[in-house]
Amino acid sequence: MNATIADLKNRFEDALVTAFGDEVAGIDPLLVPTSNPKFGDYQSNVAMALAKKLGKAPRAIADELVQTLDLSDLCEPLEIAGPGFINITLKTEYLQAQLAVMQRSDRLGVETAESPQRVIVDFSSPNIAKEMHVGHLRSTIIGDAIARVLEFQGQDVLRLNHVGDWGTQFGMLITYLQEVCPAALTTADALDLGDLVTFYKKAKQRFDDDPAFQEAARQQVVTLQSGDQKSDRAWKLLCNQSRREFQTIYDLLDICLTERGESFYNPYLQGVVDDLEQAGLLVEDQGAKCVFLDGFTNREGERLPLIIQKSDGGYNYATTDLAAIRYRIHTDGANRLIYVTDVGQANHFAQVFQVARRAGWILDGVEVVHVPFGLVQGEDGKRLKTRSGETVRLRDLLDEAIARARADLETRLKEEDRHESQAFIEHTSHIVGISAVKYADLSQNRTSNYIFSFDKMLALQGNTAPYMLYAYVRIQGISRKGQIDFGNLGADIKILLHEETEFALARHLLQLDELIGQVSQELMPNRLCQYLFELSQKFNQFYDRCPVLQAEEPTRTSRLVLCDLTARTLKLGLSLLGIQVLERM
Ligand code: ARG
């Protein structure tokens, strides 16, 4: 919580008890930042909440409370509005002092978590030998941003890539591999299988066309699962090939992940069955072992089963997730489990969480959350595909973003008659292209579908990465022009707020700490984007109105500090979104 709110909260709580007695001890004073500066900085709605309990009119309660509260060191005299809202306006000296604290802090005044949690973020998680598609891209970008925010808070974060590296498709793939490249199962050399997606398609074709192949593939699953060495070799070969392909995407996007695929949980699957059996949850239904779910029914109103073990002894996607949840809480010691997938898996997670909860695996104080996101659509509002109607390859998508950023840059350089090195052009277009893709995704409310548009995401105007990067560059330009070292403005600077645009910028800057707290609670990166976007707008308004380099001292230095704080906040905020800033662009 923001230090100011925390302080206000304490003082409100004390005053409540002084005014109304122990009856109201521990009552939340309901302090919120106001939506409109004309109501001050914060507002307390506690008078309304207490009306019933105290049997008094909210306005009278507010009156009494305000008389008891002494906040004169922090705020202007409190005001009561409407039915009994208490409006709090921070004093200018207080704002100035807070800004000075922020200026001196490496973390821009953002507090670190008091007692760090062990958090697992399960994200990206593509499937071996299959295409890593735009859904996985969303999961990767959103999951990474969430992990970065939590890491910045000082939480102990484990980023897990729950890759689909197990399951019946491997029977088919290995059987096909045996046909086309028998050496793969015996030689010790690394093999390059070429494009795995094409390989997968061909294998699938064989599978669909030939019943004998199908039978062989089924047999192969059993052989693999029984631990046969040759099959295991082939399986590893396929996984390694996929891994290399995924890694090129992660490198491009600057993503760090620990792979712990589905196969990791194989040794724990039987334990899941045993535990559920012991808990009395397991029911045998047509040879399959199931748990009947609360709140999930078919059209006839009968409870639906979650199949834990199929009649042939095989396990499911859900069984693996049950083993994973159990392992993550009981072995990894996680307090918070976050799963970032498309909204289509909402039921899957609700079911898995329910069974885990009923089995008693979710210990007290452990939070499990599914972080769903909507579909990625093309500009026609349909599923994103290439012009020829095929699924878009991620590599191509990212390359195109970079190529377009480069074309835009080159046009601009020509117009401005600027000459830049090849290295500058490459670096800048890489950063702009990748940032544009990330920012476009993150700035949407993740729960809605999102329309992928190169033109929109690369625009210099609007809530886009180029706009944000440009705001940062603009401030660096001020420091270059005035030959000012922002890092060295002096130790004892006084920040002075006079103009309205200075106040608006200052107040916004001071919300950073609170905002980071909210993002880490709600897991909504778009709120951080919105904050940064408003910050750039407020900065631009300030910069249009208030001369900086031209101003007289001490105003000049004070304004330079506002510039510096804005730049550092942008840089930090963007870095939490996985976006690197540029000094020039
Ligand atoms: N591999 C899955 C997919 O591509 C996503 C896995 C998400 N994580 C999990 N623990 N189930 O849809």
Side-chain angles (χ1 to χ4, degrees):
M1 197 190 322
N2 170 309
T4 308
I5 299 203
D7 190 9
L8 285 173
K9 187 165 183 263
N10 282 334
R11 302 224 218 159
F12 261 78
E13 279 170 354
D14 291 347
L16 277 166
V17 174
T18 314
F20 307 110
D22 285 341
E23 195 188 348
V24 297
I27 294 254
D28 184 346
L30 302 173
L31 285 160
V32 286
T34 55
S35 46
N36 186 330
K38 78 171 185 248
F39 302 127
D41 294 289
Y42 300 102
Q43 189 171 62
S44 163
N45 302 339
V46 74
M48 271 72 72
L50 283 179
K52 214 171 182 174
K53 190 175 184 115
L54 298 175
K56 289 185 187 171
R59 229 179 137 115
I61 298 176
D63 263 332
E64 254 180 273
L65 187 58
V66 164
Q67 272 167 39
T68 322
L69 267 168
D70 179 15
L71 300 177
S72 52
D73 54 327
L74 281 178
C75 320
E76 302 295 342
L78 298 175
E79 279 177 23
I80 302 173
F85 299 110
I86 304 176
N87 292 341
I88 304 157
T89 305
L90 297 171
K91 278 198 165 141
T92 302
E93 300 83 67
Y94 180 79
L95 290 173
Q96 292 174 167
Q98 292 290 101
L99 286 169
V101 172
M102 187 172 181
Q103 150 84 1
R104 282 192 298 269
S105 150
D106 287 340
R107 302 177 49 85
L108 292 163
V110 180
E111 293 188 17
T112 32
E114 268 164 40
S115 39
Q117 282 188 311
R118 178 107 173 116
V119 188
I120 291 183
V121 189
D122 174 323
F123 70 105
S124 194
S125 310
N127 301 315
I128 297 286
K130 290 197 197 165
E131 187 98 60
M132 183 168 174
H133 54 68
V134 283
H136 296 122
L137 178 68
R138 270 209 106 173
S139 173
T140 306
I141 292 172
I142 296 171
D144 177 60
I146 288 175
R148 284 178 194 258
V149 171
L150 296 169
E151 282 155 358
F152 179 66
Q153 282 194 316
Q155 315 289 4
D156 177 12
V157 180
L158 183 57
R159 303 157 155 254
L160 288 186
N161 201 1
H162 191 84
V163 293
D165 63 355
W166 202 246
T168 46
Q169 79 267 28
F170 283 98
M172 171 185 97
L173 292 166
I174 296 174
T175 308
Y176 184 67
L177 186 61
Q178 218 157 14
E179 272 188 14
V180 296
C181 180
L185 279 70
T186 47
T187 56
D189 306 331
L191 274 178
D192 189 352
L193 300 176
D195 177 8
L196 260 197
V197 174
T198 314
F199 184 89
Y200 187 94
K201 281 190 194 141
K202 287 192 192 148
K204 182 80 173 48
Q205 192 71 51
R206 281 287 286 129
F207 186 86
D208 291 342
D209 291 349
D210 182 355
F213 183 96
Q214 264 177 43
E215 189 40 42
R218 273 193 203 103
Q219 266 308 304
Q220 183 53 249
V221 179
V222 181
T223 317
L224 173 67
Q225 301 198 342
S226 68
D228 170 60
Q229 281 207 344
K230 278 188 188 170
S231 311
D232 192 63
R233 219 194 94 72
W235 172 70
K236 287 206 174 101
L237 198 70
L238 291 160
C239 290
N240 279 334
Q241 177 85 18
S242 265
R243 213 167 270 144
R244 276 196 294 274
E245 287 175 16
F246 298 156
Q247 195 55 46
T248 58
I249 304 284
Y250 296 143
D251 288 345
L252 261 178
L253 291 170
D254 186 22
I255 304 288
C256 227
L257 270 160
T258 301
E259 182 179 320
R260 209 196 257 173
E262 294 180 13
S263 65
F264 175 89
Y265 301 98
N266 285 343
Y268 308 103
L269 297 172
Q270 185 57 47
V272 165
V273 175
D274 295 346
D275 263 23
L276 294 175
E277 180 93 69
Q278 282 232 320
L281 292 172
L282 221 52
V283 178
E284 195 119 343
D285 190 47
Q286 296 165 39
K289 293 185 174 147
C290 317
V291 175
F292 279 89
L293 297 159
D294 295 336
F296 291 90
T297 49
N298 63 13
R299 258 184 260 144
E300 282 73 45
E302 296 155 350
R303 295 206 299 166
L304 285 173
L306 181 68
I307 299 176
I308 308 294
Q309 190 169 22
K310 292 183 280 188
S311 56
D312 66 2
Y315 300 101
N316 291 322
Y317 182 52
T319 324
T320 305
D321 261 322
L322 284 169
I325 216 171
R326 190 162 156 270
Y327 189 91
R328 291 170 185 184
I329 297 173
H330 294 265
T331 308
D332 293 318
N335 320 99
R336 195 176 188 198
L337 304 185
I338 297 170
Y339 297 82
V340 188
T341 78
D342 65 290
V343 64
Q345 299 199 32
N347 269 342
H348 163 75
F349 285 107
Q351 297 177 348
V352 166
F353 295 170
Q354 181 191 124
V355 172
R357 188 155 278 126
R358 283 163 63 194
W361 299 336
I362 303 184
L363 305 175
D364 279 349
V366 173
E367 184 198 1
V368 290
V369 262
H370 177 220
V371 169
F373 54 80
L375 291 176
V376 183
Q377 299 170 315
E379 287 183 85
D380 55 2
K382 298 203 191 113
R383 243 183 57 162
L384 188 71
K385 37 186 173 350
T386 61
R387 243 177 247 133
S388 55
E390 299 195 29
T391 46
V392 180
R393 293 189 49 197
L394 287 192
R395 182 71 221 225
D396 297 342
L397 190 96
L398 298 174
D399 285 346
E400 179 163 357
I402 297 170
R404 286 187 185 228
R406 187 187 178 118
D408 288 354
L409 174 63
E410 282 170 344
T411 313
R412 208 153 40 80
L413 290 180
K414 216 177 244 147
E415 279 166 13
E416 295 169 11
D417 199 22
R418 255 167 76 192
H419 297 276
E420 297 285 358
S421 68
Q422 268 317 308
F424 173 88
I425 295 177
E426 302 245 312
H427 178 69
T428 310
S429 23
H430 178 90
I431 300 284
V432 173
I434 296 295
S435 309
V437 173
K438 287 189 180 184
Y439 193 87
D441 192 330
L442 293 168
S443 57
Q444 303 289 316
N445 180 324
R446 59 172 163 73
T447 55
S448 17
N449 292 346
Y450 135 66
I451 296 189
F452 192 97
S453 157
F454 282 121
D455 288 336
K456 283 214 183 94
M457 66 178 69
L458 285 163
L460 260 175
Q461 288 306 324
N463 191 5
T464 65
Y467 176 81
M468 306 301 303
L469 293 173
Y470 192 70
Y472 182 82
V473 166
R474 193 172 182 200
I475 305 178
Q476 298 316 304
I478 301 172
S479 99
R480 277 192 295 271
K481 192 166 158 211
Q483 296 185 327
I484 285 148
D485 178 4
F486 277 151
N488 216 350
L489 288 171
D492 239 345
I493 307 158
K494 253 199 104 45
I495 296 156
L496 303 161
L497 302 172
H498 292 295
E499 301 298 322
E500 210 173 300
T501 55
E502 288 178 308
F503 275 102
L505 178 60
R507 291 202 151 92
H508 197 75
L509 282 166
L510 290 172
Q511 282 164 18
L512 177 68
D513 180 30
E514 177 75 9
L515 180 100
I516 300 279
Q518 273 168 8
V519 175
S520 71
Q521 271 301 309
E522 298 166 7
L523 309 175
M524 295 295 256
N526 62 313
R527 299 199 51 155
L528 178 52
C529 296
Q530 188 61 31
Y531 171 84
L532 296 174
F533 181 51
E534 284 171 23
L535 178 65
S536 325
Q537 289 177 318
K538 296 204 151 96
F539 176 79
N540 287 338
Q541 283 153 9
F542 153 77
Y543 195 59
D544 286 345
R545 286 293 178 80
C546 301
V548 176
L549 294 172
Q550 265 32 293
E552 299 285 325
E553 289 298 354
T555 306
R556 183 174 187 265
T557 303
S558 168
R559 288 187 178 161
L560 283 169
V561 172
L562 288 177
C563 293
D564 174 41
L565 278 174
T566 305
R568 283 165 60 203
T569 303
L570 282 173
K571 183 173 181 175
L572 171 67
L574 289 171
S575 82
L576 298 181
L577 300 171
I579 293 174
Q580 260 183 59
V581 292
L582 294 161
E583 296 304 308
R584 297 190 305 122
M585 69 188 275

